[in-house]
Amino acid sequence: MLIRKPADLHYSDVTPREVYLNRRRFIGAGAATLGALALPSSALATAKINGLVQTGPYHNLGNEKPSPKATVTSYNNYYEFGTGKEDPSQNAPKWKVPAEWPIRIEGEVMQPKTLSLDQVMKLAPAEERIYRLRCVERWSVVVPWIGFSLSTLLKQVQPTGKAKYVAFETYFDPKAMLSPREAGIPFPYVEGLRLDEAMHPLTLLSFGMYGETLPNQDGAPVRIVVPWKYGYKSIKSITRIRFVEKQPPTDWGIYSDREYGFYSNVNPEVDHPRWSQKEEQRLGSGFLGQGTRMATVKFNGYGAQVASLYSGMDLAKFH
Amino acid sequence: MNRFLSSPWTKVAVFLLSLVPLGVLLWLGYQASASDDPTQYVTANPVEYITHYTGDWTIRFICFTLCITPLRMLLNRPQITRFRRMLGLFAFFYGCLHFTVWVVLDPRQNTISAIWEDIVKRRYITVGMLALLAMLPLAITSTAGWVRRLGFKRWKQLHRLIYLTAIAAVIHYWWLVKSDIRLPLMYAAIVTVLLGYRLIVWMRERRRKTAVRTSQPTVSAN
């Protein structure tokens, strides 16, 4: 296995996408103007990530081909930036990610810690992980995330014996985002995992995709990705991580626990109350070049890695 | 104004306008199939997009149809009624498209039993089916021949089923959204106003009738 030393990479000094795009921008002045207009504004906010590790045990477990980038960056559930699928790609790029992005790690730990995003990104080499993402709404994509196992970050603190769960919280800026009343769900967005789920090597702390930093609509600057659970468990733009004793509330669970349970493992055997979960629409291929219907696989196909976490559990009850 | 409303060309224009949403959808589909980046035409999830698109136009045409009677009364232009059948039939047409897209393209096994299971098990689909099915007898009996066969009074009673369709369509929309109920709420408000108007007219009419009836003995006593 290839072991590299952490990439000497700062979130603040990655090449701005605008700069490196300029190197290969169109020759004609007219074409350049047109090109700049045609570029989605979101593209300007992302930056290339250098020194990416594209090997490693979790690089591409399913041997999947990533979905087109346009699919993953134009179709998002990020209710803070609008409840329509296209809203976040329209609204989120206008939001400026604060230059300072402290991540607080607290709760049932010996010594709470606050790390800057730069510090976090230096903890381990940036790995590319090609994961399937299955939304509870029956669509799925394949995303080449960039990051490293969340456990790397969590190991920076020492949990007390009481810590059984990990709770996460999304950044909330009422001036730039929808109000909870408009969105219909509470903000700041909260999510949670059982400690062993959070420590599982597949659970990813991600700060990039498609070789670049995250576009705002995909959860910039840093988020969690839990590939065997429905998409809403993969919380975006996190600012706070708390070790807790009791099962923490989750945003969609507060809205409707019956529809969006705490575990929310991808499972074709357990229906959502309003639709069957047996099939999904894989976006980015097939119909109109945009989608293929396929059978949904238990744990989103990561059963070999994670099924043991739930041995003996009734997954219909703990859905 | 009256000449405009009674002109056969106006009817043709309304017909063509009602086809515009379909035309736009076909154009979007064509552009998407020819483009490197179809997401800008039909989003990254075309199945969902087409389903929502046809559903949106169904509920809009239901509302357009329900607008006819209040408009006729408020503007005092009986000619407006000429467009009601056509708008109603377009509501049914877009509803059928919506249903067909759902049957064929929704991510679900394409077996009768899977479709049936969805209809009976998912309440938002059950109520959506109700909305569509209630329009079926209305579409069938929309011809002048059927008005004659049923008699105008009975025909009119039957066609009040559109109220059921409108209410069921709003509930269908309300139940299917995840948490942001602003759009279903808007349609609920529109339908409430359109049906509320009829209710007020009906109540006034009834009061007027009872007033006439109670005043009659005094008249005869004179």
Side-chain angles (χ1 to χ4, degrees):
Chain A
M1 200 174 83
L2 184 70
I3 298 167
R4 285 209 194 171
K5 111 183 179 328
D8 196 15
L9 172 69
H10 298 259
Y11 191 78
S12 46
D13 62 26
V14 274
T15 321
R17 172 159 172 140
E18 234 174 327
V19 175
Y20 86 82
L21 259 186
N22 269 329
R23 292 175 202 146
R24 42 181 153 112
R25 207 163 248 171
F26 315 96
I27 304 149
T33 319
L34 271 177
L37 284 173
L39 268 175
S41 49
S42 61
L44 300 174
T46 57
K48 200 175 171 188
I49 291 177
N50 301 306
L52 206 54
V53 181
Q54 287 177 310
T55 52
Y58 305 110
H59 172 59
N60 193 353
L61 282 172
N63 264 325
E64 300 269 3
K65 189 171 164 282
S67 305
K69 190 180 171 190
T71 302
V72 177
T73 57
S74 71
Y75 192 82
N76 308 89
N77 273 325
Y78 196 158
Y79 273 38
E80 285 88 334
F81 290 113
T83 58
K85 296 287 180 296
E86 288 80 52
D87 295 345
S89 59
Q90 300 289 320
N91 301 329
K94 294 177 209 150
W95 173 61
K96 202 172 172 331
V97 177
E100 296 291 313
W101 193 276
I103 298 167
R104 282 189 285 161
I105 311 174
E106 54 194 22
E108 292 297 340
V109 292
M110 298 298 184
Q111 192 96 61
K113 250 187 188 177
T114 300
L115 295 172
S116 73
L117 187 55
D118 283 349
Q119 286 171 318
V120 169
M121 284 169 75
K122 273 195 279 188
L123 292 175
E127 285 175 56
E128 183 173 68
R129 301 239 189 130
I130 299 170
Y131 282 169
R132 290 177 290 271
L133 180 98
R134 167 60 155 85
C135 177
V136 70
E137 298 161 4
R138 298 178 301 168
W139 52 268
S140 62
V141 286
V142 179
V143 188
W145 301 106
I146 298 166
F148 45 76
S149 295
L150 173 66
S151 60
T152 308
L153 175 62
L154 298 185
K155 280 175 192 157
Q156 299 302 306
V157 295
Q158 272 183 297
T160 67
K162 280 185 180 170
K164 297 282 187 305
Y165 295 88
V166 186
F168 307 95
E169 194 176 297
T170 295
Y171 187 85
F172 182 56
D173 178 356
K175 273 176 266 155
M177 297 168 174
L178 250 61
S179 70
R181 258 188 72 184
E182 291 169 304
I185 53 171
F187 295 143
Y189 192 94
V190 290
E191 254 304 336
L193 294 169
R194 221 167 54 188
L195 189 57
D196 57 345
E197 296 175 323
M199 293 302 288
H200 193 281
L202 270 184
T203 303
L204 187 71
L205 182 80
S206 171
F207 39 80
M209 54 161 58
Y210 295 96
E212 297 180 351
T213 54
L214 287 172
N216 289 358
Q217 64 269 34
D218 289 286
V222 62
R223 63 174 294 168
I224 309 288
V225 182
V226 196
W228 70 94
K229 292 176 182 283
Y230 293 122
Y232 53 86
K233 295 296 289 184
S234 294
I235 181 169
K236 299 182 177 83
S237 310
I238 52 160
T239 58
R240 201 148 82 105
I241 299 174
R242 242 165 356 108
F243 287 77
V244 292
E245 190 180 358
K246 299 234 164 64
Q247 182 178 305
T250 61
D251 229 69
W252 282 101
I254 298 167
Y255 171 76
S256 170
D257 187 45
R258 202 172 67 91
E259 297 192 33
Y260 312 99
F262 178 80
Y263 285 93
S264 287
N265 293 315
V266 175
N267 192 348
E269 295 151 26
V270 179
D271 282 358
H272 182 274
R274 286 186 281 162
W275 51 80
S276 148
Q277 294 288 27
K278 290 192 184 73
E279 301 233 337
E280 68 198 56
Q281 192 84 20
R282 174 65 52 85
L283 306 183
S285 56
F287 175 65
L288 293 177
Q290 285 296 292
T292 317
R293 223 197 254 189
M294 52 176 69
T296 290
V297 184
K298 199 167 178 180
F299 299 117
N300 206 18
Y302 299 100
Q305 288 78 30
V306 302
S308 60
L309 294 173
Y310 311 100
S311 54
M313 264 175 80
D314 178 357
L315 293 177
K317 190 174 168 219
F318 298 98
H319 65 89
Chain B
M1 186 70 177
N2 277 348
R3 236 176 74 195
F4 171 75
L5 287 174
S6 335
S7 160
W9 293 109
T10 313
K11 225 170 175 176
V12 173
V14 172
F15 180 79
L16 292 175
L17 272 177
S18 303
L19 278 173
V20 167
L22 178 66
V24 168
L25 185 63
L26 293 173
W27 180 83
L28 285 170
Y30 170 75
Q31 291 294 318
S33 62
S35 165
D36 292 337
D37 179 15
T39 59
Q40 49 181 311
Y41 298 104
V42 288
T43 80
N45 192 347
V47 171
E48 187 193 66
Y49 181 79
I50 297 167
T51 311
H52 290 176
Y53 184 97
T54 49
D56 281 340
W57 280 105
T58 309
I59 198 165
R60 280 171 202 156
F61 271 96
I62 291 168
C63 292
F64 295 160
T65 312
L66 285 175
C67 279
I68 295 289
T69 299
L71 273 181
R72 185 199 71 203
M73 289 173 149
L74 290 171
L75 302 174
N76 199 17
R77 305 256 183 210
Q79 302 94 324
I80 292 177
T81 311
R82 293 170 66 229
F83 306 105
R84 188 170 59 187
R85 171 168 59 197
M86 189 159 63
L87 292 174
L89 284 172
F90 268 108
F92 183 64
F93 169 69
Y94 283 108
C96 288
L97 272 183
H98 181 58
F99 174 72
T100 309
V101 169
W102 173 78
V103 164
V104 179
L105 298 176
D106 200 64
R108 161 204 358 92
Q109 277 124 335
N110 264 357
T111 58
I112 302 282
S113 67
I115 293 165
W116 181 248
E117 195 189 308
D118 260 3
I119 292 173
V120 293
K121 238 174 126 175
R122 326 278 168 210
R123 56 179 196 169
Y124 83 93
I125 298 174
T126 317
V127 75
M129 277 312 299
L130 178 72
L132 182 66
L133 284 177
M135 280 197 285
L136 183 65
L138 310 192
I140 293 171
T141 61
S142 64
T143 60
W146 270 103
V147 183
R148 230 177 306 123
R149 237 166 289 166
L150 290 170
F152 184 65
K153 207 175 161 191
R154 262 197 297 166
W155 180 86
K156 210 173 153 182
Q157 279 169 349
L158 173 68
H159 280 248
R160 292 207 176 107
L161 267 178
I162 191 72
Y163 306 158
L164 176 71
T165 290
I167 293 165
V170 168
I171 295 173
H172 168 68
Y173 199 173
W174 198 298
W175 279 348
L176 78 88
V177 295
K178 270 168 81 185
S179 68
D180 180 2
I181 51 157
R182 284 175 293 176
L183 272 174
L185 198 64
M186 183 192 78
Y187 283 110
I190 292 171
V191 168
T192 305
V193 168
L194 293 173
L195 296 188
Y197 179 84
R198 290 165 165 83
L199 187 69
I200 290 167
V201 169
W202 177 78
M203 281 178 7
R204 271 199 195 155
E205 192 77 356
R206 212 177 58 153
R207 208 180 309 150
R208 199 178 53 84
K209 272 183 189 160
T210 43
V212 167
R213 231 176 288 142
T214 47
S215 67
Q216 263 165 0
T218 358
V219 173
S220 57
N222 262 348

